[in-house]
Amino acid sequence: MPYCDPFPAVHGSLLVLEDDDELGPLLKDVLTMAGYDVFLASTHSEAMPHLTDTPMAAAVLEWSTQKGGAGTLADHLFAQRIPYVVASGSVAHCMLPVCHQWARFLPKPFAITDLITAVEASRDFGVPVEGWPAAR
C-alpha cells in the first residue's frame, strides 16, 4: 500500500520566520496540522531561498530575530503580494514601520487558534494596493 501523508497541505505553502529553537518547530507542527506545507527559517538568509523556489500562500514573521532581517523579508513579501502576519514578543504593533502596519499583528504569547485565525484572515484580505486598510 502506498504511503499517504496524514496531513496533506491543502492550504498551500507557508513561510515561518522564527528564531526560537523551541517555538519554531512547534509552530511548524501546528500549522502543518492546520493544512499548510510549512517552511521554517530562523534567519532572513534561510528564508529567502524558500520565497524564490516556492509560491507561498502567506508568511508568519517574528519581527525581532537575533540576526535581524524581518523588515527586509517583509518588504520582499509585500513586493511579491504575499500576505503575512507579524507575531512578536519584543516589538509592539505601533513600532513596525508604517508600510507594514497593515499586517495582522499577534503579540506573544498568543493562542494557537489566534495564529491560525490570523493567517487565514491575512490570506482572505491579501496585501493592500496602497497603504493599509482602515479596518482590520
Side-chain angles (χ1 to χ4, degrees):
M1 175 176 269
Y3 174 77
C4 180
D5 187 350
F7 304 115
V10 295
H11 298 302
S13 297
L14 185 71
L15 176 68
V16 175
L17 176 66
E18 175 58 64
D19 63 348
D20 182 297
D21 292 339
E22 293 179 12
L23 183 57
L26 174 65
L27 294 178
K28 181 177 180 175
D29 289 347
V30 166
L31 291 165
T32 298
M33 287 188 275
Y36 289 96
D37 185 17
V38 180
F39 295 89
L40 177 62
S42 61
T43 66
H44 169 265
S45 59
E46 285 179 21
M48 286 306 290
H50 295 298
L51 291 177
T52 57
D53 296 343
T54 308
M56 294 290 166
V60 177
L61 307 176
E62 163 55 71
W63 200 263
S64 298
T65 60
Q66 292 180 2
K67 295 188 179 183
T72 303
L73 188 58
D75 290 343
H76 182 80
L77 292 166
F78 185 84
Q80 296 298 313
R81 317 303 294 157
I82 300 170
Y84 50 92
V85 174
V86 176
S88 187
S90 56
V91 171
H93 186 255
C94 63
M95 296 170 67
L96 295 176
V98 172
C99 62
H100 296 295
Q101 287 185 5
W102 62 269
R104 301 246 170 215
F105 184 84
L106 284 176
K108 290 180 182 176
F110 52 80
I112 292 300
T113 54
D114 291 341
L115 175 65
I116 294 169
T117 300
V119 169
E120 292 300 316
S122 73
R123 293 186 62 210
D124 289 343
F125 289 109
V127 177
V129 175
E130 293 182 27
W132 62 90
R136 296 177 353 129

